[in-house]
Every structure is written in C-alpha cells, then in structure tokens.
Amino acid sequence: MTKLGQWLCGLALLGSAWAALALAPPGLRLPAPYRQALLPLPVYLLVVFGCYSLATVGYRLATFNDCEEAAAELQEHISAARADLRRRGLRF
Amino acid sequence: MAAGGADKFSVLLPTYNERENLPLVVWLLARTFCESGNNFEIIIIDDGSPDGTQEIAEQLEKIYGSDKIVTREIISVLFSSGTAYIHGMKHATGNFIVIMDADLSHHVSLYFIKQKEGNFDIVSGTRYKGNGGVYGWDLKRKLISRGANFITQVLLRPGASDLTGSFRLYRKEVLQKLMEKCVSKGYVFQMEMIVRARQLGYTIGEVPISFVDRVYGESKLGGNEIVSFLKGLLTLFATT
C-alpha cells in the first residue's frame, strides 16, 4: 500500500471512530461531558501537531551543526592538492 | 564480485563545468583510497561542459592511469543524475559504487568502515545526525532544509535521516535494481532511491557528513525549486 493509502486508511479509521462516538444518535450517546470533549478533538490534535512540528523544526534548526573544522580542513586539502597536482604535471 | 574477492569501489562523478573542482575531488579521492588500501576507479561522466572539464579529466587520466580514471562524455540537453549514473554504471568494474557530487568531497573513508561494520547494502551520508552538518549556509537555507526534511519524514517515514543528500555508497547489484525501479528526476530521484530501497528490504547504514557549501553564493534555492520539491515529494507520497 502506498503512504497515501496508509494515511487514508488511518484517517478513515480514526474519523469513523470519532464520528461514531461524538455524533452518535440520541439513543446511543455517551454522557454529555464526554461528547463535549470529543467533539473538538480533531482540531485540538491538529493544533498539537502544529506545535510539535514548530518545536521540532525549531530545535533541529538550532542544533544544525556548523562544520568550521571541516571547512578549514578542506581549504588545507585544496592547497595540498593544487601543489601536488602541479608537481605531477597538471596544467590548471 | 571483483577479481580475487577483494572489494573495488567505483566512484561515479557526474560533472558539468567543474574544471576547477574536478582535480581537487579526484586528488582527495585518490588519496583516501590509497591511504585505506582499497582498490578503486573514478568514472567521470561529463555533460559536454564548455569550460574544459573534459580536458582536465583527460590530464588526470594521464596522471593517475586509465585503470583508475575513466572519462566518458555525453552530450545531452536532458542530462540528469539518472542518465549519468546509467552511463557510469555501464563502465563500472567495481562491486561497490560511490555516488557523489563533483563539488563536494569529504571523508569517503567513513563509508567503507560503516559498510564493513554492518554489511549494509547502502551507506548514506547524513547532514542531520551525529556530527554531520553544513558550512556556509545562512539561517534561511538551514530552515528550508530542516523544514523540508521534517515534511519528508512525516509523509514518507523513510527510515533514513537525510534523503536529499547525494553522497552514497551502494552495492552494485542494489544500485542496478534501484535504477530500474526509480522514475523521478533530480534530487527527488535520490529520495526515491532510499524509499524504494526500504521497500525492497535493503539495509541502509548512515554516516555523518560535513557538507561544505562552496557554491552556495551562486546556487539559488528559489520558489521554483521549493515547488518542484513539494511536487516530487507528493508524487512519492502517492506512488510509493
């Protein structure tokens, strides 16, 4: 199954469970407080996910390594390479 | 398998206007391989560069020997990484293939070590884990990179931390199999390789790499690039 397929299945499952519990016909309803909590649940989850995304990306951005030594090392390698290649007869 | 059972590494280098960088990359690769004692060859696939890249490649072939440097020129307006790799693989005699950009090179030796450690089918370089990282990127570029990677992780759950990197080591048979299956172009192609590899059950090891961006000033990451990335990502999401 494709990733899209997995998402659609998952959403369908959760969606129908939520609809069954939150929007049930009068005879089968849960007590009012539970339904009041369930009704806005999808929106809450979306908001939570949004916050999680921002926090995660922010954290990863802040901890993104800056490779100073790698850059310096590369510069050294470049000088060594140019010198050695020139010695071996490369005409740049 | 390479003759004698010893591993041989074929490095595929697609080039376009890399006259300046090519000798440096080749020198670094040759030195790394010689120091680690591994058998290698470097296959340069040039897309008809007008700046004399071919000529520099031929000089390098004279210096290092035709068994070590193989140069092939394609002149193709639709040159993409996929085309370059297909051409390159035809000439590769190693049992491992290393794919990298000709304007970046760093610590190829880590890859051999990792591969031996876990006998992985693929070893992928990651900028996002361990002491991997970048140099020369401003905040905006880093944000876009992390943001794009986050969306990719959520949607594709690929099991690898860096999907758009193009510094990888593959077993030759694995690369051939993946090339048959992958249909995207550009860096979405790199992403598709990893996703399909996961699906086919290949093992993927990761090594941290330092991406020293020496060309950032010239390369643009504009709206167009971002849009095409998202399109590619959504295509992969819907088809894999």
Side-chain angles (χ1 to χ4, degrees), chain A residues 43-83:
Chain A
V43 178
Y44 286 163
L45 289 177
L46 223 61
V47 171
V48 165
F49 177 69
C51 293
Y52 164 76
S53 305
L54 285 176
T56 306
V57 174
Y59 172 73
R60 288 177 181 174
L61 176 63
T63 55
F64 210 161
N65 281 334
D66 267 313
C67 312
E68 312 274 334
E69 324 89 49
E73 200 183 53
L74 190 59
Q75 284 304 117
E76 282 173 25
H77 287 165
I78 290 175
S79 324
R82 294 186 78 93

mmCIF file of all heavy atoms in Angstrom, chain A residues 43-83:
data_model
loop_
_atom_site.group_PDB
_atom_site.id
_atom_site.type_symbol
_atom_site.label_atom_id
_atom_site.label_comp_id
_atom_site.label_asym_id
_atom_site.label_seq_id
_atom_site.Cartn_x
_atom_site.Cartn_y
_atom_site.Cartn_z
ATOM 1 N N VAL A 43 -9.639 19.049 15.935
ATOM 2 C CA VAL A 43 -8.979 20.353 15.834
ATOM 3 C C VAL A 43 -7.838 20.457 16.849
ATOM 4 O O VAL A 43 -6.759 20.953 16.533
ATOM 5 C CB VAL A 43 -10.007 21.491 16.049
ATOM 6 C CG1 VAL A 43 -9.306 22.833 15.992
ATOM 7 C CG2 VAL A 43 -11.095 21.411 15.001
ATOM 8 N N TYR A 44 -8.111 19.984 18.077
ATOM 9 C CA TYR A 44 -7.060 20.003 19.105
ATOM 10 C C TYR A 44 -5.829 19.242 18.637
ATOM 11 O O TYR A 44 -4.701 19.697 18.780
ATOM 12 C CB TYR A 44 -7.556 19.349 20.401
ATOM 13 C CG TYR A 44 -8.520 20.181 21.203
ATOM 14 C CD1 TYR A 44 -9.317 19.594 22.187
ATOM 15 C CD2 TYR A 44 -8.649 21.541 20.992
ATOM 16 C CE1 TYR A 44 -10.208 20.346 22.922
ATOM 17 C CE2 TYR A 44 -9.542 22.298 21.727
ATOM 18 C CZ TYR A 44 -10.323 21.699 22.690
ATOM 19 O OH TYR A 44 -11.216 22.433 23.409
ATOM 20 N N LEU A 45 -6.080 18.040 18.070
ATOM 21 C CA LEU A 45 -4.955 17.219 17.628
ATOM 22 C C LEU A 45 -4.162 17.927 16.533
ATOM 23 O O LEU A 45 -2.939 17.858 16.498
ATOM 24 C CB LEU A 45 -5.454 15.862 17.124
ATOM 25 C CG LEU A 45 -5.958 14.921 18.202
ATOM 26 C CD1 LEU A 45 -6.496 13.636 17.602
ATOM 27 C CD2 LEU A 45 -4.852 14.608 19.203
ATOM 28 N N LEU A 46 -4.864 18.606 15.653
ATOM 29 C CA LEU A 46 -4.202 19.349 14.590
ATOM 30 C C LEU A 46 -3.307 20.431 15.172
ATOM 31 O O LEU A 46 -2.163 20.619 14.755
ATOM 32 C CB LEU A 46 -5.255 19.983 13.678
ATOM 33 C CG LEU A 46 -4.973 19.887 12.181
ATOM 34 C CD1 LEU A 46 -4.907 18.424 11.765
ATOM 35 C CD2 LEU A 46 -6.067 20.598 11.393
ATOM 36 N N VAL A 47 -3.845 21.132 16.158
ATOM 37 C CA VAL A 47 -3.072 22.197 16.803
ATOM 38 C C VAL A 47 -1.851 21.624 17.516
ATOM 39 O O VAL A 47 -0.747 22.154 17.418
ATOM 40 C CB VAL A 47 -3.964 22.988 17.791
ATOM 41 C CG1 VAL A 47 -3.118 23.949 18.611
ATOM 42 C CG2 VAL A 47 -5.039 23.750 17.038
ATOM 43 N N VAL A 48 -2.060 20.507 18.221
ATOM 44 C CA VAL A 48 -0.935 19.866 18.907
ATOM 45 C C VAL A 48 0.139 19.468 17.901
ATOM 46 O O VAL A 48 1.329 19.694 18.111
ATOM 47 C CB VAL A 48 -1.423 18.621 19.692
ATOM 48 C CG1 VAL A 48 -0.246 17.753 20.102
ATOM 49 C CG2 VAL A 48 -2.221 19.039 20.905
ATOM 50 N N PHE A 49 -0.307 18.903 16.786
ATOM 51 C CA PHE A 49 0.660 18.506 15.771
ATOM 52 C C PHE A 49 1.399 19.718 15.222
ATOM 53 O O PHE A 49 2.611 19.680 14.985
ATOM 54 C CB PHE A 49 -0.030 17.745 14.633
ATOM 55 C CG PHE A 49 0.905 17.383 13.528
ATOM 56 C CD1 PHE A 49 1.895 16.430 13.726
ATOM 57 C CD2 PHE A 49 0.839 18.024 12.303
ATOM 58 C CE1 PHE A 49 2.792 16.110 12.709
ATOM 59 C CE2 PHE A 49 1.730 17.709 11.283
ATOM 60 C CZ PHE A 49 2.710 16.752 11.488
ATOM 61 N N GLY A 50 0.670 20.804 15.014
ATOM 62 C CA GLY A 50 1.293 22.029 14.534
ATOM 63 C C GLY A 50 2.362 22.518 15.490
ATOM 64 O O GLY A 50 3.476 22.876 15.085
ATOM 65 N N CYS A 51 2.049 22.518 16.779
ATOM 66 C CA CYS A 51 3.027 22.959 17.789
ATOM 67 C C CYS A 51 4.231 22.034 17.812
ATOM 68 O O CYS A 51 5.379 22.481 17.875
ATOM 69 C CB CYS A 51 2.385 22.979 19.178
ATOM 70 S SG CYS A 51 1.121 24.237 19.332
ATOM 71 N N TYR A 52 3.956 20.731 17.746
ATOM 72 C CA TYR A 52 5.042 19.759 17.741
ATOM 73 C C TYR A 52 5.962 20.004 16.546
ATOM 74 O O TYR A 52 7.190 19.985 16.674
ATOM 75 C CB TYR A 52 4.469 18.337 17.684
ATOM 76 C CG TYR A 52 5.471 17.292 17.305
ATOM 77 C CD1 TYR A 52 6.425 16.844 18.226
ATOM 78 C CD2 TYR A 52 5.500 16.770 16.008
ATOM 79 C CE1 TYR A 52 7.375 15.898 17.859
ATOM 80 C CE2 TYR A 52 6.442 15.831 15.652
ATOM 81 C CZ TYR A 52 7.380 15.395 16.587
ATOM 82 O OH TYR A 52 8.313 14.470 16.205
ATOM 83 N N SER A 53 5.355 20.250 15.378
ATOM 84 C CA SER A 53 6.158 20.486 14.169
ATOM 85 C C SER A 53 7.050 21.698 14.349
ATOM 86 O O SER A 53 8.245 21.655 14.055
ATOM 87 C CB SER A 53 5.263 20.724 12.962
ATOM 88 O OG SER A 53 4.372 19.674 12.806
ATOM 89 N N LEU A 54 6.461 22.804 14.827
ATOM 90 C CA LEU A 54 7.237 24.027 15.005
ATOM 91 C C LEU A 54 8.387 23.803 15.980
ATOM 92 O O LEU A 54 9.521 24.211 15.729
ATOM 93 C CB LEU A 54 6.335 25.152 15.514
ATOM 94 C CG LEU A 54 5.408 25.776 14.477
ATOM 95 C CD1 LEU A 54 4.501 26.796 15.129
ATOM 96 C CD2 LEU A 54 6.217 26.423 13.364
ATOM 97 N N ALA A 55 8.061 23.133 17.095
ATOM 98 C CA ALA A 55 9.089 22.907 18.108
ATOM 99 C C ALA A 55 10.214 22.038 17.551
ATOM 100 O O ALA A 55 11.393 22.318 17.740
ATOM 101 C CB ALA A 55 8.470 22.252 19.339
ATOM 102 N N THR A 56 9.836 20.971 16.834
ATOM 103 C CA THR A 56 10.840 20.059 16.305
ATOM 104 C C THR A 56 11.731 20.743 15.280
ATOM 105 O O THR A 56 12.960 20.654 15.352
ATOM 106 C CB THR A 56 10.160 18.841 15.642
ATOM 107 O OG1 THR A 56 9.277 18.252 16.582
ATOM 108 C CG2 THR A 56 11.178 17.828 15.190
ATOM 109 N N VAL A 57 11.110 21.425 14.326
ATOM 110 C CA VAL A 57 11.908 22.093 13.302
ATOM 111 C C VAL A 57 12.790 23.168 13.940
ATOM 112 O O VAL A 57 13.959 23.318 13.593
ATOM 113 C CB VAL A 57 11.018 22.691 12.194
ATOM 114 C CG1 VAL A 57 11.851 23.507 11.230
ATOM 115 C CG2 VAL A 57 10.302 21.595 11.442
ATOM 116 N N GLY A 58 12.215 23.900 14.915
ATOM 117 C CA GLY A 58 12.992 24.925 15.599
ATOM 118 C C GLY A 58 14.194 24.342 16.311
ATOM 119 O O GLY A 58 15.321 24.841 16.196
ATOM 120 N N TYR A 59 13.971 23.246 17.009
ATOM 121 C CA TYR A 59 15.058 22.591 17.729
ATOM 122 C C TYR A 59 16.132 22.119 16.764
ATOM 123 O O TYR A 59 17.327 22.321 16.970
ATOM 124 C CB TYR A 59 14.512 21.415 18.542
ATOM 125 C CG TYR A 59 15.586 20.560 19.163
ATOM 126 C CD1 TYR A 59 16.325 21.018 20.258
ATOM 127 C CD2 TYR A 59 15.890 19.300 18.643
ATOM 128 C CE1 TYR A 59 17.325 20.243 20.816
ATOM 129 C CE2 TYR A 59 16.890 18.527 19.190
ATOM 130 C CZ TYR A 59 17.610 18.999 20.278
ATOM 131 O OH TYR A 59 18.605 18.230 20.814
ATOM 132 N N ARG A 60 15.684 21.474 15.685
ATOM 133 C CA ARG A 60 16.650 20.944 14.723
ATOM 134 C C ARG A 60 17.413 22.063 14.034
ATOM 135 O O ARG A 60 18.594 21.922 13.704
ATOM 136 C CB ARG A 60 15.926 20.089 13.686
ATOM 137 C CG ARG A 60 15.453 18.768 14.252
ATOM 138 C CD ARG A 60 14.676 17.990 13.224
ATOM 139 N NE ARG A 60 14.204 16.728 13.789
ATOM 140 C CZ ARG A 60 13.386 15.892 13.151
ATOM 141 N NH1 ARG A 60 12.961 16.200 11.940
ATOM 142 N NH2 ARG A 60 13.020 14.775 13.715
ATOM 143 N N LEU A 61 16.727 23.176 13.817
ATOM 144 C CA LEU A 61 17.401 24.316 13.203
ATOM 145 C C LEU A 61 18.493 24.840 14.124
ATOM 146 O O LEU A 61 19.611 25.130 13.697
ATOM 147 C CB LEU A 61 16.369 25.415 12.911
ATOM 148 C CG LEU A 61 16.902 26.723 12.347
ATOM 149 C CD1 LEU A 61 17.540 26.462 10.999
ATOM 150 C CD2 LEU A 61 15.767 27.733 12.201
ATOM 151 N N ALA A 62 18.147 24.925 15.419
ATOM 152 C CA ALA A 62 19.097 25.459 16.392
ATOM 153 C C ALA A 62 20.302 24.548 16.585
ATOM 154 O O ALA A 62 21.395 25.008 16.882
ATOM 155 C CB ALA A 62 18.394 25.676 17.729
ATOM 156 N N THR A 63 20.095 23.237 16.394
ATOM 157 C CA THR A 63 21.195 22.311 16.644
ATOM 158 C C THR A 63 21.860 21.851 15.355
ATOM 159 O O THR A 63 22.609 20.888 15.340
ATOM 160 C CB THR A 63 20.699 21.058 17.401
ATOM 161 O OG1 THR A 63 19.626 20.475 16.645
ATOM 162 C CG2 THR A 63 20.223 21.421 18.782
ATOM 163 N N PHE A 64 21.577 22.551 14.267
ATOM 164 C CA PHE A 64 22.186 22.212 12.988
ATOM 165 C C PHE A 64 23.670 22.544 13.071
ATOM 166 O O PHE A 64 24.055 23.683 13.244
ATOM 167 C CB PHE A 64 21.526 23.052 11.882
ATOM 168 C CG PHE A 64 21.491 22.395 10.539
ATOM 169 C CD1 PHE A 64 20.601 22.838 9.572
ATOM 170 C CD2 PHE A 64 22.333 21.344 10.203
ATOM 171 C CE1 PHE A 64 20.534 22.243 8.324
ATOM 172 C CE2 PHE A 64 22.292 20.745 8.964
ATOM 173 C CZ PHE A 64 21.377 21.201 8.015
ATOM 174 N N ASN A 65 24.514 21.523 12.969
ATOM 175 C CA ASN A 65 25.946 21.733 13.121
ATOM 176 C C ASN A 65 26.547 22.630 12.056
ATOM 177 O O ASN A 65 26.244 22.498 10.879
ATOM 178 C CB ASN A 65 26.675 20.390 13.021
ATOM 179 C CG ASN A 65 26.590 19.611 14.301
ATOM 180 O OD1 ASN A 65 26.444 20.180 15.366
ATOM 181 N ND2 ASN A 65 26.680 18.300 14.191
ATOM 182 N N ASP A 66 27.432 23.499 12.483
ATOM 183 C CA ASP A 66 28.224 24.292 11.547
ATOM 184 C C ASP A 66 29.621 23.695 11.498
ATOM 185 O O ASP A 66 30.319 23.694 12.503
ATOM 186 C CB ASP A 66 28.339 25.748 12.024
ATOM 187 C CG ASP A 66 27.269 26.611 11.435
ATOM 188 O OD1 ASP A 66 27.046 26.529 10.217
ATOM 189 O OD2 ASP A 66 26.656 27.362 12.201
ATOM 190 N N CYS A 67 30.010 23.213 10.344
ATOM 191 C CA CYS A 67 31.275 22.486 10.330
ATOM 192 C C CYS A 67 32.456 23.395 10.042
ATOM 193 O O CYS A 67 32.937 23.462 8.910
ATOM 194 C CB CYS A 67 31.259 21.400 9.258
ATOM 195 S SG CYS A 67 29.801 20.417 9.319
ATOM 196 N N GLU A 68 32.892 24.102 11.065
ATOM 197 C CA GLU A 68 34.013 25.009 10.873
ATOM 198 C C GLU A 68 35.292 24.257 10.533
ATOM 199 O O GLU A 68 36.011 24.606 9.594
ATOM 200 C CB GLU A 68 34.249 25.828 12.154
ATOM 201 C CG GLU A 68 33.001 26.450 12.744
ATOM 202 C CD GLU A 68 32.678 27.781 12.121
ATOM 203 O OE1 GLU A 68 33.591 28.452 11.635
ATOM 204 O OE2 GLU A 68 31.486 28.153 12.105
ATOM 205 N N GLU A 69 35.563 23.197 11.340
ATOM 206 C CA GLU A 69 36.839 22.475 11.127
ATOM 207 C C GLU A 69 36.849 21.802 9.778
ATOM 208 O O GLU A 69 37.897 21.739 9.121
ATOM 209 C CB GLU A 69 37.093 21.396 12.188
ATOM 210 C CG GLU A 69 36.630 21.705 13.583
ATOM 211 C CD GLU A 69 35.199 21.249 13.765
ATOM 212 O OE1 GLU A 69 34.895 20.098 13.418
ATOM 213 O OE2 GLU A 69 34.408 22.075 14.240
ATOM 214 N N ALA A 70 35.671 21.306 9.364
ATOM 215 C CA ALA A 70 35.622 20.639 8.057
ATOM 216 C C ALA A 70 35.977 21.625 6.954
ATOM 217 O O ALA A 70 36.717 21.303 6.031
ATOM 218 C CB ALA A 70 34.243 20.056 7.829
ATOM 219 N N ALA A 71 35.443 22.847 7.068
ATOM 220 C CA ALA A 71 35.720 23.854 6.049
ATOM 221 C C ALA A 71 37.200 24.208 6.031
ATOM 222 O O ALA A 71 37.819 24.307 4.966
ATOM 223 C CB ALA A 71 34.880 25.097 6.312
ATOM 224 N N ALA A 72 37.772 24.380 7.227
ATOM 225 C CA ALA A 72 39.195 24.720 7.306
ATOM 226 C C ALA A 72 40.042 23.592 6.739
ATOM 227 O O ALA A 72 40.986 23.805 5.974
ATOM 228 C CB ALA A 72 39.583 24.991 8.769
ATOM 229 N N GLU A 73 39.671 22.371 7.104
ATOM 230 C CA GLU A 73 40.409 21.198 6.628
ATOM 231 C C GLU A 73 40.339 21.112 5.108
ATOM 232 O O GLU A 73 41.327 20.794 4.443
ATOM 233 C CB GLU A 73 39.793 19.946 7.249
ATOM 234 C CG GLU A 73 40.690 18.749 7.245
ATOM 235 C CD GLU A 73 39.961 17.539 7.815
ATOM 236 O OE1 GLU A 73 38.861 17.237 7.323
ATOM 237 O OE2 GLU A 73 40.495 16.931 8.738
ATOM 238 N N LEU A 74 39.173 21.411 4.577
ATOM 239 C CA LEU A 74 39.001 21.362 3.129
ATOM 240 C C LEU A 74 39.929 22.356 2.455
ATOM 241 O O LEU A 74 40.541 22.069 1.433
ATOM 242 C CB LEU A 74 37.543 21.635 2.758
ATOM 243 C CG LEU A 74 37.165 21.388 1.312
ATOM 244 C CD1 LEU A 74 37.437 19.957 0.918
ATOM 245 C CD2 LEU A 74 35.702 21.719 1.074
ATOM 246 N N GLN A 75 40.040 23.543 3.025
ATOM 247 C CA GLN A 75 40.950 24.554 2.474
ATOM 248 C C GLN A 75 42.374 24.027 2.420
ATOM 249 O O GLN A 75 43.084 24.203 1.423
ATOM 250 C CB GLN A 75 40.903 25.829 3.315
ATOM 251 C CG GLN A 75 39.672 26.679 3.083
ATOM 252 C CD GLN A 75 39.507 27.040 1.622
ATOM 253 O OE1 GLN A 75 38.540 26.659 0.976
ATOM 254 N NE2 GLN A 75 40.472 27.755 1.081
ATOM 255 N N GLU A 76 42.799 23.379 3.514
ATOM 256 C CA GLU A 76 44.150 22.800 3.529
ATOM 257 C C GLU A 76 44.307 21.759 2.444
ATOM 258 O O GLU A 76 45.312 21.720 1.731
ATOM 259 C CB GLU A 76 44.411 22.110 4.875
ATOM 260 C CG GLU A 76 44.743 23.037 5.999
ATOM 261 C CD GLU A 76 44.815 22.269 7.311
ATOM 262 O OE1 GLU A 76 45.080 21.043 7.268
ATOM 263 O OE2 GLU A 76 44.591 22.894 8.353
ATOM 264 N N HIS A 77 43.288 20.887 2.341
ATOM 265 C CA HIS A 77 43.335 19.839 1.335
ATOM 266 C C HIS A 77 43.459 20.443 -0.051
ATOM 267 O O HIS A 77 44.207 19.949 -0.894
ATOM 268 C CB HIS A 77 42.077 18.978 1.382
ATOM 269 C CG HIS A 77 42.027 18.073 2.556
ATOM 270 N ND1 HIS A 77 40.881 17.446 2.956
ATOM 271 C CD2 HIS A 77 42.987 17.670 3.416
ATOM 272 C CE1 HIS A 77 41.131 16.695 4.005
ATOM 273 N NE2 HIS A 77 42.394 16.814 4.316
ATOM 274 N N ILE A 78 42.730 21.521 -0.275
ATOM 275 C CA ILE A 78 42.750 22.146 -1.595
ATOM 276 C C ILE A 78 44.146 22.658 -1.926
ATOM 277 O O ILE A 78 44.655 22.426 -3.022
ATOM 278 C CB ILE A 78 41.714 23.289 -1.674
ATOM 279 C CG1 ILE A 78 40.303 22.700 -1.662
ATOM 280 C CG2 ILE A 78 41.926 24.120 -2.926
ATOM 281 C CD1 ILE A 78 39.219 23.741 -1.606
ATOM 282 N N SER A 79 44.786 23.321 -0.959
ATOM 283 C CA SER A 79 46.152 23.802 -1.236
ATOM 284 C C SER A 79 47.096 22.648 -1.489
ATOM 285 O O SER A 79 47.889 22.676 -2.443
ATOM 286 C CB SER A 79 46.704 24.599 -0.049
ATOM 287 O OG SER A 79 45.699 25.341 0.543
ATOM 288 N N ALA A 80 46.984 21.618 -0.658
ATOM 289 C CA ALA A 80 47.865 20.451 -0.836
ATOM 290 C C ALA A 80 47.624 19.813 -2.199
ATOM 291 O O ALA A 80 48.566 19.440 -2.906
ATOM 292 C CB ALA A 80 47.620 19.430 0.273
ATOM 293 N N ALA A 81 46.341 19.718 -2.575
ATOM 294 C CA ALA A 81 46.000 19.090 -3.849
ATOM 295 C C ALA A 81 46.586 19.875 -5.011
ATOM 296 O O ALA A 81 47.200 19.305 -5.925
ATOM 297 C CB ALA A 81 44.483 18.991 -3.991
ATOM 298 N N ARG A 82 46.409 21.197 -4.977
ATOM 299 C CA ARG A 82 46.906 22.012 -6.081
ATOM 300 C C ARG A 82 48.425 21.902 -6.208
ATOM 301 O O ARG A 82 48.966 21.770 -7.309
ATOM 302 C CB ARG A 82 46.504 23.473 -5.885
ATOM 303 C CG ARG A 82 45.009 23.697 -5.965
ATOM 304 C CD ARG A 82 44.642 25.168 -5.924
ATOM 305 N NE ARG A 82 44.861 25.799 -7.214
ATOM 306 C CZ ARG A 82 43.935 25.938 -8.150
ATOM 307 N NH1 ARG A 82 42.713 25.505 -7.937
ATOM 308 N NH2 ARG A 82 44.212 26.517 -9.280
ATOM 309 N N ALA A 83 49.090 21.926 -5.065
ATOM 310 C CA ALA A 83 50.550 21.837 -5.102
ATOM 311 C C ALA A 83 50.986 20.486 -5.667
ATOM 312 O O ALA A 83 51.840 20.411 -6.561
ATOM 313 C CB ALA A 83 51.123 22.037 -3.701
#
